[in-house]
Amino acid sequence: MAHQILVFYGSYRSDRMGIRLANFIVAGLGARGDTAELVDAKAVGLPMLDRMYKEYPPGSAPAAMEALASKIRGADAFIFVVGEYNWGVQPGLKNLTDHFLEEWFWRPAAIASYSGGRLSGTRSSFAWHNILCEMGMVVISSDLAVGPIAQTLDANGAPTGPAGKALENAFPRFADDLAWWTEAAKLQRTRRLPPY
């Protein structure tokens, strides 16, 4: 069964490396038959949070925010590709997610972390797990942790070397886990409305 999956990425750096992992995931999901779309926080360009989407009168939210709200509501699941800044989360991605709330509810989310070092952004992954749960998503137990990213994926997001092979081996389990929860959530929504 094909799913509509949004892949979120949030680095604003000029020479960002995590985009390699985001592109790898989008391609991997597409090869499985899913419709995956990259949502790049830098490209979306939301302002620093002043007012959440729900706080705008209907039809008055900025165009980029309105379009993204529609995409989030229409998605079956989400993947967050997260880097680690000083043991914490990337501010660009956090800012984007905070503009929305109810739009995220009752759908599964997965986390793929990365870094330039051997810890693979895992501290950021731990923080994001709590954030996404608080925002109403069901976070799956499988994750991807990639590092050092420059030795794992080339500039086009293709796996390289032993680390790339390990990522290729880990991806199917990650995607299968997300697919299982996505199908479970879709089925439950047909049987019973979420308790809003």
Side-chain angles (χ1 to χ4, degrees):
M1 176 183 295
H3 304 116
Q4 179 73 37
I5 302 173
L6 296 179
V7 179
F8 290 89
Y9 176 65
S11 174
Y12 278 54
R13 291 179 182 267
S14 58
D15 56 351
R16 55 202 190 149
M17 299 284 273
I19 194 72
R20 299 176 181 197
L21 180 55
N23 288 332
F24 169 83
I25 290 170
V26 169
L29 293 171
R32 293 170 55 94
D34 292 316
T35 301
E37 180 180 349
L38 175 63
V39 177
D40 182 345
K42 184 177 180 180
V44 172
L46 295 181
M48 289 301 294
L49 181 63
D50 171 49
R51 185 180 298 180
M52 294 177 70
Y53 173 72
K54 68 180 182 177
E55 296 171 325
Y56 285 90
S60 68
M65 193 182 303
E66 190 71 59
L68 185 51
S70 178
K71 287 181 183 183
I72 294 170
R73 285 191 302 266
D76 296 316
F78 313 110
I79 297 177
F80 292 83
V81 178
V82 303
E84 180 178 314
Y85 290 5
N86 300 315
W87 289 31
V89 301
Q90 290 168 317
L93 186 56
K94 182 67 166 71
N95 182 62
L96 181 142
T97 59
D98 284 343
H99 277 84
F100 306 97
L101 187 59
E102 290 85 354
E103 293 76 19
W104 303 112
F105 285 1
W106 310 109
R107 260 89 47 79
I111 300 169
S113 64
Y114 69 91
S115 73
R118 63 183 175 79
L119 295 182
S120 310
T122 54
R123 290 173 290 220
S124 177
S125 178
F126 296 152
W128 274 107
H129 191 282
N130 291 335
I131 291 165
L132 300 179
C133 286
E134 173 61 21
M135 297 181 81
M137 290 169 257
V138 176
V139 182
I140 68 168
S141 60
S142 294
D143 63 2
L144 291 178
V146 178
I149 192 159
Q151 297 171 21
T152 306
L153 296 163
D154 69 16
N156 298 313
T160 60
K165 185 64 175 171
L167 174 59
E168 283 184 297
N169 291 338
F171 181 76
R173 167 63 191 269
F174 174 81
D176 286 345
D177 194 355
L178 182 61
W180 192 95
W181 282 104
T182 301
E183 290 166 19
K186 286 176 78 169
L187 177 61
Q188 181 65 5
R189 286 195 301 273
T190 65
R191 296 168 51 189
R192 179 179 173 189
L193 290 176
Y196 284 94

